[in-house]
Amino acid sequence: MSLFRKFFGTGNDASDEEKQSEFNTPPAHLSAPADEKFTFNFKKNGGKFLYCEDLSEVKDHFEHILEENDWFESEATCFEPKLYSMLDENKLVYKNTTNPKFLLASCENLIADEGSILFSSNQIKQNKPNDLPVNMVILATTSQILESKSDGLRAIKKKYDKDYPTNITTIKYFEKAKEEDFLQYGSSAKNLYLLLLEDL
């Protein structure tokens, strides 16, 4: 075999070992199911992930988050009436707030290939991510995990047939970049807790 072929190979002479090189095989997390891929990418982005089997676990984890951050009897931001009871139970003020400690919200979908969370005006009104509190507690279900952002947009279109929401955006970064990362330019990192409820 010539020296050239030894270094660069040809289409026909590649050994099994060369075919299995790190460049040819996708990392394990890329071929994983969507839920595993989401968990991997979400944690890599710095998100805090809490798995819940039922609603009582959601409430327990929420109380632990409040305790950990000393947020009891403080102000919170929430735009969804269905979540007000969680705030009321913990004596949190969410109307006419001036200095909210965190945002409590649901989301449209969880995007596996980015480890990001897809929101619309139904959760965050017309606020840009930079206008929202740095701390966020997000409630989602396992059935909301989708492969890509385009799948998420299709799901929104299907779900809201006529009353289509506006301000569709994702939040992807959940910790400050350790060094200047151009991919994060213009986006603010959020301290984000995800309470993921099993519903499948």
Side-chain angles (χ1 to χ4, degrees):
M1 183 184 253
S2 74
L3 191 60
F4 181 80
R5 279 191 184 159
K6 198 172 202 170
F7 281 115
F8 300 105
T10 63
N12 303 340
D13 295 341
S15 71
D16 286 343
E17 193 175 297
E18 287 170 2
K19 285 180 186 168
Q20 294 300 318
S21 81
E22 63 184 278
F23 302 109
N24 294 338
T25 53
H29 69 275
L30 291 180
S31 58
D35 56 346
E36 286 178 30
K37 195 183 301 184
F38 172 77
T39 306
F40 176 86
N41 290 327
F42 179 75
K43 286 181 176 177
K44 189 177 77 175
N45 292 344
K48 297 173 187 82
F49 171 82
L50 297 159
Y51 176 80
C52 310
E53 287 187 2
D54 54 39
L55 286 171
S56 69
E57 271 192 27
V58 170
K59 289 180 178 182
D60 288 347
H61 284 312
F62 183 59
E63 287 175 13
H64 291 308
I65 293 167
L66 296 177
E67 189 177 343
E68 179 185 318
N69 294 284
D70 195 22
W71 290 340
F72 281 111
E73 297 182 25
S74 63
E75 294 183 348
T77 298
C78 184
F79 304 108
E80 300 170 81
K82 66 182 179 182
L83 300 178
Y84 290 168
S85 63
M86 286 180 71
L87 298 169
D88 289 332
E89 286 170 17
N90 293 288
K91 298 183 175 78
L92 295 159
V93 178
Y94 52 90
K95 291 177 182 164
N96 305 318
T97 58
T98 53
N99 187 25
K101 298 283 187 191
F102 67 97
L103 167 76
L104 176 65
S106 63
C107 65
E108 292 296 342
N109 291 108
L110 306 171
I111 308 303
D113 66 357
E114 289 185 342
S116 64
I117 300 183
L118 185 65
F119 296 97
S120 77
S121 54
N122 291 328
Q123 293 87 36
I124 60 174
K125 299 296 181 200
Q126 297 308 316
N127 293 292
K128 293 181 175 68
N130 292 352
D131 301 332
L132 297 168
V134 170
N135 302 304
M136 303 177 96
V137 180
I138 305 303
L139 278 75
T141 59
T142 50
S143 62
Q144 289 179 284
I145 299 173
L146 297 176
E147 189 66 36
S148 67
K149 207 181 287 184
S150 58
D151 293 333
L153 295 173
R154 270 193 295 278
I156 289 173
K157 199 169 185 179
K158 187 177 176 185
K159 181 179 177 183
Y160 299 104
D161 192 28
K162 291 187 174 73
D163 194 16
Y164 200 69
T166 57
N167 193 23
I168 296 168
T169 188
T170 58
I171 294 179
K172 180 178 178 181
Y173 300 106
F174 311 116
E175 64 183 0
K176 209 79 176 134
K178 289 161 184 68
E179 53 208 46
E180 209 50 49
D181 180 358
F182 79 95
L183 293 173
Q184 287 194 28
Y185 185 76
S187 63
S188 63
K190 300 293 183 185
N191 175 35
L192 193 140
Y193 294 87
L194 175 64
L195 298 174
L196 186 64
L197 176 64
E198 175 66 63
D199 71 338
L200 292 175

